[in-house]
Amino acid sequence: MNAAPRQSIACILFFLIGLVFDTSLAAQESRDVSSDAAPDVSYTLRTAIVDDHWAFVGESGAIKGQVNPDLNAPEGAIVQIELINGDGAIHDIVVSEFNVDSERIGTQGATTTIVFKADHSGTFEYHCSLPGHKSMGMTGRFIVDPKQEERERKETEQKGAKQEGPGGDTATISQSPTAVGRPVGTRAPRHVTLNLEASEATGHLADDSSYTYWTFNRKVPGPFLRVRVGDTVTVNLTNDASSHHIHSIDLHAATGPGGGGKVTQVAPGQSRRFTFKPLKPGLYVYHCATPMVAQHIANGMYGMILVEPEGGLTPVDREFYVMQGEIYTREPHGSSGLQAFSLDKLLAERPDYFTFNGAVGALTGIHKMEARVGETVRIFFGVGGPNKTSSFHIIGETFDKVYNLGSLTSPPLTDVQTISVPPGSTAMVEFKVDYPGKYTLVDHALARVEKGLVGFLTVHGDSNSDIFQAPRAPEH
């Protein structure tokens, strides 16, 4: 063997020995927790290629399927993070603020684990330290919650804060039922741009409770989108920089990969766009399509898009936008303060709250639905879900026409008392109001009224004794 190869081999060996020495020394200096210590919090991540980018993907538990998920731990906890190599490239995982880094793994199926103490609170970063991997998407948030005393102090401050809306220290996120946009009328097809923002905000849930919603345009449901068949529609989706999660949008009216969900997986502070042509008229649901999809929907990321037929819909006097949703909380129904999301209840399909337009009381006190005797009312009704079918009914009224499952080209059903609308679907109902009074919107699975699912349509005008009359209560 000549001198040049010997020298090259020696350099390689020296580099590898130095790398191993540096890694083991760093690990020895940085970790004051034995790898055998019993962890208080454990996470498992898998490396993967997602939308042509490297990423960490939750492997199990509450983060399963989430891309670069938030990893949470209380201050002082022993944290264990296991990394599984899922793509065969060389990777590691580093949490720089706690001076921990794993060994590098380059074989598909190989694993490595870091164990450390989360000894101070705040929001930190975990990432892959291989050159270019972080910029290619391998980064997420490690959030250390403050100790119990600090948390209780903050909760006390929240409860004592001045209330802006009913029952909460934050403004309402519930969508107005009158926010239905402008009918397309008889116009020709044209280019329409829809600007949407995904954001996460704490808002009023019930009497004295609040919830951290995930929203489109800071409302639940998201905005009512209105186009016509044959339009060219460009969707611009921005994820607010303060968000903690990736978000996206799947429009059931869009023909293409994932209804747009495949191309709009948007990290916080970023934007994506796509263009589609609505081919069929109808009333459609849209929702976030980022795993776990059911969690994003349950937290409020759903809405409706109306694709009007050529020539538009028949004019009516009043139009309303109503969507039914479910909220799953760790705390029992009726608890006060900020409510936390419960994955276990979501997977068991046991919601603590049912809502019209995002919050308890949204259609009984926060917003008004009003009409006058003799007017024709149209309700665009949809179910965000993600799990429960609605038996939508208005007590004291009959639907003159029902466009079942959102189909506008099928003949409508007539003279219907109650309609069944599954999650991810819609119906359009029309009826003339003939008598004044307060009409109650319900799901006829009536136990859900006790969990918040009720609304009012108030009809003003003169009564007609030919339609309804009742003797006065006897005077005492």
Side-chain angles (χ1 to χ4, degrees), residues 159-445:
K159 290 179 181 178
K162 181 179 179 180
Q163 296 184 351
E164 296 179 21
D169 55 4
T170 50
T172 179
I173 52 77
S174 63
Q175 181 69 263
S176 170
T178 60
V180 294
R182 180 178 298 177
V184 301
T186 59
R187 70 166 175 81
R190 68 187 185 194
H191 186 268
V192 177
T193 299
L194 304 176
N195 296 313
L196 297 170
E197 180 190 55
S199 61
E200 302 162 17
T202 300
H204 162 70
L205 170 60
D207 291 336
D208 57 354
S209 65
S210 58
Y211 186 77
T212 300
Y213 292 88
W214 300 352
T215 73
F216 291 108
N217 289 17
R218 301 186 183 277
K219 294 293 180 182
V220 179
F224 189 77
L225 308 177
R226 202 159 187 164
V227 298
R228 61 149 285 174
V229 66
D231 279 347
T232 299
V233 181
T234 296
V235 179
N236 296 316
L237 179 64
T238 298
N239 192 353
D240 186 79
S242 66
S243 293
H244 293 161
H245 303 84
I246 293 173
H247 296 298
S248 59
I249 188 168
D250 166 7
L251 295 108
H252 291 188
T255 301
K262 295 290 186 183
V263 296
T264 55
Q265 298 294 329
V266 188
Q270 298 183 6
S271 299
R272 292 283 182 90
R273 66 186 297 176
F274 71 98
T275 299
F276 76 98
K277 185 181 291 291
L279 303 178
K280 300 180 186 299
L283 180 61
Y284 298 93
V285 166
Y286 66 83
H287 59 83
C288 183
T290 301
M292 163 184 289
V293 179
Q295 180 182 9
H296 286 249
I297 294 174
N299 284 340
M301 299 196 77
Y302 54 84
M304 285 197 285
I305 177 170
L306 173 64
V307 181
E308 296 197 37
E310 182 179 356
L313 298 178
T314 303
V316 295
D317 299 299
R318 307 278 179 172
E319 290 184 329
F320 298 108
Y321 173 30
V322 179
M323 288 198 79
Q324 180 169 322
E326 305 147 22
I327 294 178
Y328 300 80
T329 62
R330 292 181 192 170
E331 300 81 6
H333 174 86
S335 299
S336 61
L338 180 63
Q339 307 297 290
F341 167 74
S342 172
L343 177 65
D344 290 340
K345 289 182 181 178
L346 171 65
L347 296 179
E349 300 187 13
R350 292 188 291 108
D352 295 271
Y353 297 87
F354 286 90
T355 65
F356 286 137
N357 288 25
V360 175
L363 303 187
T364 58
I366 299 173
H367 304 292
K368 293 182 178 181
M369 297 174 63
E370 296 181 297
R372 296 198 62 80
V373 169
E375 291 184 330
T376 301
V377 172
R378 173 183 289 143
I379 297 178
F380 303 108
F381 181 76
V383 178
N387 293 322
K388 302 297 185 179
T389 294
S390 175
S391 299
F392 182 57
H393 175 78
I394 299 181
I395 299 174
E397 262 297 350
T398 301
F399 302 132
D400 299 337
K401 295 180 181 179
V402 173
Y403 295 84
N404 198 33
L405 301 178
S407 174
L408 302 183
T409 53
S410 303
L413 301 173
T414 57
D415 305 329
V416 177
Q417 58 187 318
T418 301
I419 58 173
S420 181
V421 182
S425 192
T426 68
M428 188 175 81
V429 301
E430 297 174 352
F431 54 98
K432 181 181 177 182
V433 288
D434 299 301
Y435 197 89
K438 183 179 288 186
Y439 295 84
T440 305
L441 284 67
V442 295
D443 178 337
H444 219 289

Side-chain angles (χ1 to χ4, degrees), residues 9-22 104:
I9 291 171
C11 289
I12 293 170
L13 288 172
F14 181 81
F15 171 76
L16 292 174
I17 292 169
L19 181 61
V20 171
F21 178 79
D22 286 345
R104 294 179 176 183

